[in-house]
Amino acid sequence: ATISFRLGQAMDSEKISLGYLAQRGISDVKYIDLIEDGGGRVHIMPPVRGNKFVKLIKTIRWVSLTAKENTYDIVHINADTAYLAAIYMKIFQSNGMTKMIVHSHSTMVDENNRMLRSIKIFLHCLCKRYIRKNAHLKLACSSMAAKWMFDKDQVTVVPNGIDCKQFEFDSVKRDEYRKEMKLGGKFVICCVGRLAYPKNSFFTIDILREILK
């Protein structure tokens, strides 16, 4: 979602009007303000309760309703699996929107349960042909993500660009955070990312095990 936002901010708002569908909400209201200040619109899905299957059904219904109430010349689908991308493509196609950009941003399904992961991988492989046939433009954040979604098709790889200045080393901030967190002169390892299968958390554990030897 972050890369979609950054790409949108770099576009000419006088020529292109952007609409964002946010399934999981937006944690910082400043993003909404920036989008709306540029003439864009944000559609936020209301919170839903239930298990994963119930949430998926409710999400599909919400996307369907949003597609019926809005018209877009081009639909950009940022997805990690082909079966979800295929569902969303079909929804917009049924509402007369046929120009599709599919953007692959993962190399594996986001599922910790081994059985469910196997089922999702099967569904992903089953739907890849539909994606490859119906996507007008195929994008990926890396060559591995391209292969995951599109196999050997021609894909435009767009690396997830970042503003390096935001991550420059700052000794003052470092000392402030270490003092705030009461770390003192301790040796600290920071792992940034969700504890989920695609983030390869087990590899992080292997690294820590080697460090502690």
Side-chain angles (χ1 to χ4, degrees):
T2 302
I3 186 62
S4 298
F5 167 78
R6 294 190 183 281
L7 290 172
Q9 289 297 294
M11 297 179 184
D12 189 342
S13 60
E14 293 185 0
K15 297 179 179 179
I16 301 175
S17 179
L18 299 172
Y20 293 83
L21 275 65
Q23 297 173 217
R24 301 173 184 174
I26 298 179
S27 57
D28 196 332
V29 71
K30 74 177 182 181
Y31 293 111
I32 299 176
D33 293 337
L34 287 169
I35 292 170
E36 293 180 343
D37 288 345
R41 187 178 177 187
V42 181
H43 305 274
I44 300 177
M45 180 178 169
V48 296
R49 295 181 179 179
N51 56 39
K52 292 182 179 180
F53 180 74
V54 172
K55 289 181 179 179
L56 176 60
I57 296 300
K58 290 183 178 180
T59 299
I60 293 172
R61 288 178 179 174
W62 175 73
V63 173
S64 299
L65 180 61
T66 306
K68 289 179 181 179
E69 296 177 345
N70 300 271
T71 301
Y72 303 100
D73 296 312
I74 300 174
V75 177
H76 173 271
I77 299 174
N78 198 30
D80 56 356
T81 59
Y83 65 86
L84 282 178
I87 291 173
Y88 298 146
M89 288 178 75
K90 194 66 178 177
I91 290 173
F92 285 99
Q93 286 173 337
S94 65
N95 285 278
M97 292 164 271
T98 58
K99 291 185 178 180
M100 302 284 170
I101 298 174
V102 177
H103 197 157
S104 174
H105 65 240
S106 185
T107 59
M108 179 52 65
V109 296
D110 190 359
E111 179 56 63
N112 294 326
N113 184 285
R114 183 175 296 179
M115 181 177 293
L116 288 177
R117 186 163 65 245
S118 298
I119 294 172
K120 289 183 177 182
I121 291 174
F122 171 76
L123 292 174
H124 169 75
C125 294
L126 192 67
C127 294
K128 281 203 290 186
R129 184 177 179 182
Y130 179 83
I131 296 297
R132 294 167 59 194
K133 182 180 179 180
N134 290 275
H136 286 74
L137 180 61
K138 301 163 188 174
L139 304 178
C141 63
S142 68
S143 57
M144 291 179 66
K147 185 177 180 180
W148 164 252
M149 185 71 73
F150 308 109
D151 290 334
K152 297 181 180 181
D153 288 2
Q154 185 173 353
V155 180
T156 301
V157 175
V158 183
N160 291 339
I162 61 172
D163 184 356
C164 295
K165 291 183 179 180
Q166 295 182 359
F167 300 93
E168 289 180 346
F169 177 74
D170 188 319
S171 59
V172 175
K173 288 184 178 180
R174 176 182 186 274
D175 292 339
E176 288 177 353
Y177 278 110
R178 290 182 72 90
K179 183 177 180 180
E180 180 183 335
M181 302 176 75
K182 299 179 181 180
L183 294 173
K186 297 178 180 178
F187 175 65
V188 180
I189 298 175
C190 179
C191 177
V192 181
R194 291 179 292 111
L195 296 178
Y197 184 79
K199 302 301 181 182
N200 202 7
S201 302
F202 292 109
F203 182 63
T204 304
I205 295 174
D206 290 339
I207 293 174
L208 294 175
R209 185 184 294 115
E210 291 298 318
I211 291 174
L212 292 173
K213 282 184 178 180

